[in-house]
Amino acid sequence: MSESNFKSVEATLNKHIPAEELREVKRVLYGRPDDNELQFSEETISLAKDVDIELKGYVFSARKEDLRRPRIVRVAAVQNTVDIPTTAPIHVQRDALHEKISNILRVAVTAGVNIVCLQEAWTMPFAFCTREKFPWCEFAEDVENGPTTKMLKELAKQYNMVIISPILERDGNHHDTIWNTAVVISNNGSYIGKHRKNHIPRVGDFNESTYYFEGDTGHPVFETQFGRIAINICYGRHHPQNWMMFGINGAEIVFNPSATVGGLSEPLWGIEARNAAIANGYFTVAINRVGTEVFPNEFTSGNGLPAHKDFGPFYGSSYVAAPDGSRTPGLSRDRDGLLVVEMDLNLCRQIKDFWGFQMTQRLPLYAESLAKAIKPDYKPQTIRES
C-alpha cells in the first residue's frame, strides 16, 4: 500500500481485524475497547458534507462525584489543506483560508463546540522550509488588531466559542520582530493573550530560525469560561519539560497545533501528546495539517536530499488524548477535518488522585540537579568501574 492510499491507522484496523479482536486491539493500543462516538445532529452532519470536511466526534467521561458536578466541555481540532497555489498574491491566499476556516467554524458551532484550536500558522502555507524572506514575511500580522484576529473576534463572540489562532506574528512595538504565535480569543470576542513558540526546529526541511527564534512568553495558562488551556506549539511536543511546565501552571487542556510531514515524524506522532497527557494529568489535543504545499523555488535542507519544491505530504491524523492514557481515533491523513471531543475535566484530578504522578515527581530533586547541569563546570554523575 502506498502512502497516498493509506488513509489512517484506524481505517486499516477496522478493515482487517474482526470485531471482537478489534475491541481488544483498541483496548491495548488506544486505552479503551470502544471509541465512544459522539452523536451529531442532522444539521451538523449535513453542513459538514456541504463544507466537504471529515467530521468525527468522541466522548471522554469521568467518575461521578459527590462534591463536584461534572465539568463537561466540547473541544475541537481543525486540520486543513492550503488550496490556493503559493504563487498567488498574499491577500488571495490568506482570504481563501479565512473563508475556509469560517466555513469549518460554522460546523463547529452547530456541534456545540466551546473551544476550538486551528493548526500551526493556519493563515499561510508553511513556507519556512524555503528560507526565503519574501514574500512569506508579508503573512505576519499584529496579534490583537490584525485582520485574522479581527475576523475571529467577531466569530468567537457570535458563536460563544473560545478560539485559538496560531499565526505568524509581527510585533510592531519591537522593531517588527516576527514570532510563531498562538492567539487566544475569548468567547466574548475579546483578546485574552498569546503564547510564542518555545522550541524552534533545525531539522531536515524545518529551518524556522530564519524567520523567528525561541519564544519569550514562558508557559502561560489561559483561564477561560470553559477551562484552563495552554498551547504547546509544534516542535515543543518533543520536549517533556515544555509539557511539564504547562501542567505545573495548572493547564487542564493543552493544544499542540503542528505542521509535520510523514517522512520526518509520523512514528512519534501518536506517542508524544498521549504521553504528555499521562505524565501531566491533563487532556492533550494534537493537530496536524494535511496536503502537499508546493513552492515556486527549489530549496535544500540538511539531510542530503536533492533540491525540491515541497516537504512531501502533511499527514493530518489529529487526535485527543486523556489523562488516563486513552485516546481517540485520529482524523484521516489526507482530508480537511473537524474533530470534536466532549470531555469531563473532572477526570484530570481523578487521575492525579489515582496515579499520584504529580505528588511523587520530586521537583526539588530535579531542580537541584538541573541547576548543577547548566553550569559550565558541570560533570555528569557517572560512576565508572575501577
Side-chain angles (χ1 to χ4, degrees):
M1 180 183 292
S2 69
E3 184 179 0
S4 61
N5 293 326
F6 179 43
K7 303 303 181 185
S8 70
V9 170
E10 293 79 20
T12 300
L13 292 176
N14 291 335
K15 180 178 179 180
H16 295 287
I17 299 179
E20 282 306 307
E21 288 184 51
L22 184 60
R23 284 177 54 82
E24 281 299 285
V25 169
K26 288 185 174 180
R27 181 185 65 82
V28 173
L29 290 183
Y30 285 2
R32 54 186 188 175
D34 300 305
D35 292 339
N36 294 354
E37 292 189 18
L38 179 64
Q39 300 303 309
F40 294 110
S41 69
E42 288 299 324
E43 178 191 9
T44 300
I45 295 170
S46 175
L47 188 54
K49 289 180 180 178
D50 290 343
V51 176
D52 192 23
I53 60 168
E54 178 186 27
L55 174 67
K56 288 187 176 181
Y58 305 96
V59 177
F60 289 109
S61 57
R63 183 178 56 82
K64 183 179 180 180
E65 298 186 21
D66 184 46
L67 299 179
R68 290 195 303 175
R69 299 175 64 180
R71 298 179 59 218
I72 306 298
V73 59
R74 285 197 181 185
V75 168
V78 176
Q79 64 177 44
N80 62 273
T81 57
V82 173
D83 301 323
I84 301 297
T86 59
T87 52
I90 299 300
H91 74 276
V92 172
Q93 295 185 56
R94 188 185 65 198
D95 290 351
L97 284 164
H98 279 191
E99 181 179 6
K100 168 178 273 198
I101 293 304
S102 295
N103 286 332
I104 295 175
L105 293 180
R106 286 170 50 218
V107 183
V109 70
T110 69
V113 169
N114 305 120
I115 307 170
V116 63
C117 185
L118 309 176
Q119 64 194 23
E120 183 185 19
W122 72 269
T123 61
M124 61 181 293
F126 209 74
F128 312 124
C129 55
T130 67
R131 298 190 298 280
E132 299 169 339
K133 292 299 184 72
F134 307 108
W136 317 120
C137 286
E138 289 189 52
F139 280 102
E141 57 184 279
D142 183 79
V143 292
E144 292 192 55
N145 298 302
T148 297
T149 300
K150 284 184 177 179
M151 178 195 75
L152 293 179
K153 281 179 176 179
E154 294 179 3
L155 293 179
K157 184 176 182 179
Q158 180 182 347
Y159 295 158
N160 190 31
M161 184 188 300
V162 173
I163 300 177
I164 301 169
S165 172
I167 63 170
L168 193 63
E169 174 195 358
R170 181 174 298 281
D171 184 359
N173 292 330
H174 296 90
H175 313 292
D176 280 333
T177 302
I178 290 176
W179 303 88
N180 186 321
T181 301
V183 183
V184 182
I185 302 168
S186 171
N187 56 306
N188 65 19
S190 64
Y191 167 82
I192 300 179
K194 66 186 176 187
H195 172 58
R196 291 168 171 165
K197 186 173 182 176
N198 276 332
H199 298 274
I200 307 302
R202 297 161 177 84
V203 55
D205 286 331
F206 291 83
N207 296 288
E208 298 171 34
S209 58
T210 301
Y211 301 87
Y212 41 78
F213 43 83
E214 285 74 13
D216 59 358
T217 53
H219 297 85
V221 171
F222 302 91
E223 188 153 2
T224 74
Q225 179 180 325
F226 306 111
R228 298 188 300 276
I229 64 174
I231 309 99
N232 180 358
I233 303 174
C234 197
Y235 192 69
R237 72 181 180 277
H238 304 307
H239 298 269
Q241 300 89 345
N242 204 37
W243 291 107
M244 180 184 71
M245 287 306 304
F246 291 119
I248 286 175
N249 287 336
E252 296 170 306
I253 311 167
V254 180
F255 296 87
N256 177 226
S258 299
T260 184
V261 293
L264 178 68
S265 64
E266 199 162 8
L268 309 180
W269 180 250
I271 300 170
E272 291 170 312
R274 189 178 181 190
N275 186 63
I278 298 167
N280 297 289
Y282 50 50
F283 289 91
T284 57
V285 184
I287 307 163
N288 185 28
R289 63 172 65 196
V290 286
T292 301
E293 298 165 12
V294 181
F295 297 94
N297 301 315
E298 290 185 337
F299 52 88
T300 58
S301 57
N303 54 16
L305 295 177
H308 43 286
K309 290 188 175 183
D310 66 80
F311 279 115
F314 297 100
Y315 55 80
S317 306
S318 302
Y319 71 96
V320 174
D324 63 1
S326 62
R327 58 156 287 182
T328 69
L331 292 176
S332 71
R333 301 175 73 257
D334 60 356
R335 284 194 66 194
D336 290 350
L338 178 70
L339 174 64
V340 180
V341 176
E342 181 176 290
M343 57 183 68
D344 186 343
L345 296 181
N346 282 351
L347 186 62
C348 297
R349 192 171 80 179
Q350 291 176 11
I351 294 302
K352 289 175 182 177
D353 287 348
F354 180 81
W355 280 109
F357 291 152
Q358 284 64 46
M359 182 173 63
T360 60
Q361 66 183 339
R362 301 193 65 192
L363 290 178
L365 169 65
Y366 294 102
E368 180 181 348
S369 297
L370 289 170
K372 295 176 182 177
I374 62 174
K375 293 181 179 179
D377 61 351
Y378 176 71
K379 291 183 173 55
Q381 188 179 359
T382 304
I383 299 174
R384 295 182 173 86
E385 182 179 359
S386 59

